[in-house]
Amino acid sequence: MPKQERDDTKGIKNKKAGDFPEWYAEIVQKAGLADYAPIAGCMVIKPYGYAIWENIKKWFDSRIKETGHRNAYFPLFIPESFLKKEAEHFSGFTPEVAFIDKKEETEAGEDRYALRPTSETIIYDSYSKWIRSWRDLPLLLNQWCNIVRWETKATKLFLRTREFLWQEGHTVHRTEKEADREVMYILNLYKELAETLLAIPVITGKKTENEKFAGALYTTSIEALMPDGKALQMGTSHNLGQNFSKPFNIKFKDRDEKEKYAWQTSWGFSTRLIGAIAMVHGDDRGLVLPPRIAPIQIVIIPIIFEKNKSRVLAEGEKIRKELEGDFSVEFDRRDEYSPGWKFNEWEMLGVPLRIEIGPADIKKKQAVLVRRDTGEKKTIKRNQLKKEAEKMLEAVQKNLFRKAKKFLTDSTVSAKTFEEFKEAIENKKMVKANWCGDSGCEESIKEETAATIRVIPFRGEKAKGKCVHCAAKAKHVVYFARQY
Amino acid sequence: MPKQERDDTKGIKNKKAGDFPEWYAEIVQKAGLADYAPIAGCMVIKPYGYAIWENIKKWFDSRIKETGHRNAYFPLFIPESFLKKEAEHFSGFTPEVAFIDKKEETEAGEDRYALRPTSETIIYDSYSKWIRSWRDLPLLLNQWCNIVRWETKATKLFLRTREFLWQEGHTVHRTEKEADREVMYILNLYKELAETLLAIPVITGKKTENEKFAGALYTTSIEALMPDGKALQMGTSHNLGQNFSKPFNIKFKDRDEKEKYAWQTSWGFSTRLIGAIAMVHGDDRGLVLPPRIAPIQIVIIPIIFEKNKSRVLAEGEKIRKELEGDFSVEFDRRDEYSPGWKFNEWEMLGVPLRIEIGPADIKKKQAVLVRRDTGEKKTIKRNQLKKEAEKMLEAVQKNLFRKAKKFLTDSTVSAKTFEEFKEAIENKKMVKANWCGDSGCEESIKEETAATIRVIPFRGEKAKGKCVHCAAKAKHVVYFARQY
């Protein structure tokens, strides 16, 4: 049987610098991250995409467990009457809520069941039963689950779909200060996840009143800039204050024997992170995965000629065994494809490091390493393989972050005037500018430019002078961008 | 502050040998496994219950991954038209299907969206797009997700709820034989999970035509007997034959260049396993957890008197550190509860092993170990602690299985006549009896006794003589019982 040579129908047709949305949709599907589902606006997360999610989950799950957080599972269904208990929360979410065809007959009439768009209300109903005393606090729970938001805007694989997966943490504390600390502890974990695992640099800060989570006292966020100049919210951590504990009656008897309303936080990130990885690091040949979350970190490709076949396969297998304890390794011993075909395929999948091994390499006691991010080839001594592979993977991880960081820095500009501001937004920049602090002014800027305030940075610059839009006295220096 | 002594409102009021359903509901809630949700028929899986689920997941997930299975995630929503494609499947599930208030307008009219009662149809729609060649086979996928079945029968925490969690595997093969092998591979894994982790002995075999999965060629099952004499189906593995590949058009070009319909399997177990653990091993003081799936395997209780407090706490901490690499350990250093109160609490939670350490023990270089299952106390040398703890945990694991196995054996009787049969069923036995193989006869037995055929055992006894009910020639020796 002749070997399958390079198959051009399999390559990536769109260019990242060309039609970015088409390029994105193409690499996500061709690399096997996700597929469109037969339900409009929904997706199928394919095994390769799901394996990235599992790696993200594993890291985050073990980190929060170290600090006493535990997982639980609350119902998919939320009585509509619960959603209505916190007015701001209700109006923030109802446009996107789907209901089922079953309902409860109550004294007050019918109560429909919503599919959770987020679980504050159903969880806090349980909390009100479980919490009695300061001894029950802090209560630190998290759940990994599916979420339904019946989007009416155009959907996009991973970034906006009617169903997605996420984690949502819901904690209860004795004091406001404790809740503040929890919010920042989680936000810093999110930043660490984004930067050290996903190699995506983020800006952190508080959301404005307009942009905060419906029902929160305040919202903090990590924000990344995508290659098309749009910001992506990668995770949010909210201090809910007593906004939910009051309507849901979450009270505890404190050490001083007084009954008090509890302080709460909630926080989450979703499978959209997988989309961010594809957008930020991908190139015209496909995905480029950061080694720390790559399902396959190293692929070994045997360069086979008929007469040396068994020897090369034996050597490849030996290498696989050497590496598999320390790395996630795949040895592509398929006979029906040529090495060139395999190179293309594994490059499309974004595997960070390729090892080529052929008869000449065996003879010279060497191996060839090829980096996915730069394409750099390096011939190394066979007995240095593990060390060199480890070094190169670290270099890939660092380089991806450095490149993304440079892009973020280069794409962030300051604007003094509204003319400069508009031009920068049109040029797909993240814009640092003075803002007066007024929600109406923020709303006008959004209407005129489609840009919103991504965050008011923590420990940001002191505002001097006037608001970039209304010329009132500036209160904050903030980051603006268009967003996903 | 005086210490909190034994609190009788916290103890288990019902007896296992008394009102079994009430006892079950009580231990599930008081031990923190699950709670009723405010939606009728739904449950909240509390952190302690969820931690058991995580342990089960971890074991099973790593086992199926070793054999090349991968996880993915398919939509919660299934177009009604998909459910209808396999007629038997549709009629088997529709009574319990919930739909959402969103639909698709199609040429053929409206297509409603169901919440998955099981995912064959939505998954196989994707498979029909992904599979082209024998090179794409076998396709071995699994998903961990929530399932919705709007039960009309009385619900019961873990055992029958309108939403539950499960894993569902969906594999595609070139040949029927390969599919057969997969079915049995998974069934044997389920048996291993039940018997060696959960310490619950099971009977394995094939389901009858009446009892098989709607749409399957045949269904295999692992069945356990609960203390109230009802059988519980703990996991099922189906050979779907080509029953779905034909309506869903899952075809592949084989090595011989011919297009063929694929052979498929599906298999699953759910959070009901947690209920089985509680029922089988629990006692009048609460849960008794098998060490291999216990979230906490060992609890250390300091026996504190005011003057030795710091020394005892230091020793407890030392023990915790010694054990924590090998076991999941909790050191209960709370000051506000007495040792007696703590004993009760950890017994209710079913922690398999308790270590007591007090000033006298420190002096004598010893520690006291107490088994949850038998209550046996053993004073051991301090320097033998780790070895003794390991031995005792193994003994608990074995003893739980042995006890459950004895119950199963003692509760399984043979019936020659239908009188004997009815009496045995009334006496809450599992009944081994001759059966003619006729579905109508099976149906009559069910109507008269509420007992169904749990399985036709693999390599069962050869049937001699007449059917226990209709007196026609016997075809199989099968197991009957009432069921959950």
Side-chain angles (χ1 to χ4, degrees), chain B residues 28-93:
Chain B
V28 164
Q29 289 172 85
K30 287 202 172 152
L33 296 182
D35 204 352
Y36 292 109
I39 299 98
C42 287
M43 67 174 162
V44 174
I45 304 179
K46 294 179 80 172
Y48 196 57
Y50 198 84
I52 295 175
W53 183 238
E54 288 181 313
N55 286 343
I56 292 173
K57 251 174 107 159
K58 197 174 159 190
W59 183 88
F60 186 76
D61 201 72
S62 83
R63 290 299 297 268
I64 58 173
K65 279 178 178 162
E66 276 168 19
T67 42
H69 298 75
R70 293 172 302 162
N71 289 326
Y73 187 79
F74 292 85
L76 169 64
F77 306 110
I78 305 182
E80 189 175 16
S81 58
F82 284 29
L83 288 178
K84 285 180 175 166
K85 278 192 188 179
E86 210 290 328
E88 224 180 77
H89 187 69
F90 181 68
S91 62
F93 280 100

Side-chain angles (χ1 to χ4, degrees), chain A residues 35 38-39 44-45 47 54 65 71-77 99-101 125 130 135 141 146 163 336-337, chain B residues 35 37-39 44-45 47 54 65 71-77 99-101 125 130 135 141 146 163 336-337:
Chain A
D35 204 352
I39 299 100
V44 174
I45 305 180
E54 287 181 312
K65 280 179 178 162
N71 289 326
Y73 186 77
F74 292 85
L76 169 64
F77 306 110
F99 290 90
I100 62 166
D101 63 348
D125 176 69
W130 298 347
R135 288 183 180 90
L141 299 190
N146 54 344
E163 186 196 9
E336 61 267 27
Y337 301 107
Chain B
D35 204 352
I39 299 98
V44 174
I45 304 179
E54 288 181 313
K65 279 178 178 162
N71 289 326
Y73 187 79
F74 292 85
L76 169 64
F77 306 110
F99 290 91
I100 61 167
D101 63 347
D125 176 71
W130 298 347
R135 287 185 181 87
L141 299 190
N146 55 344
E163 185 195 10
E336 62 268 28
Y337 301 107

Side-chain angles (χ1 to χ4, degrees), chain B residues 142-172:
Chain B
N142 177 66
Q143 77 175 356
W144 297 94
C145 66
N146 55 344
I147 284 292
V148 176
R149 294 182 188 170
W150 211 261
E151 300 283 351
T152 49
K153 292 187 210 168
T155 52
K156 206 176 175 80
L157 292 170
F158 290 119
L159 302 178
R160 181 181 291 121
T161 51
R162 286 174 170 170
E163 185 195 10
F164 56 85
L165 303 182
W166 81 354
Q167 65 64 222
E168 51 181 321
H170 294 273
T171 70
V172 190

Side-chain angles (χ1 to χ4, degrees), chain B residues 201-204 207 221-225 231-234 454-455:
Chain B
V202 292
I203 292 171
T204 62
K207 288 285 186 185
S221 172
I222 60 168
E223 302 271 330
L225 192 66
L232 187 76
Q233 183 173 296
M234 307 250 298
R454 303 319 303 149
V455 287

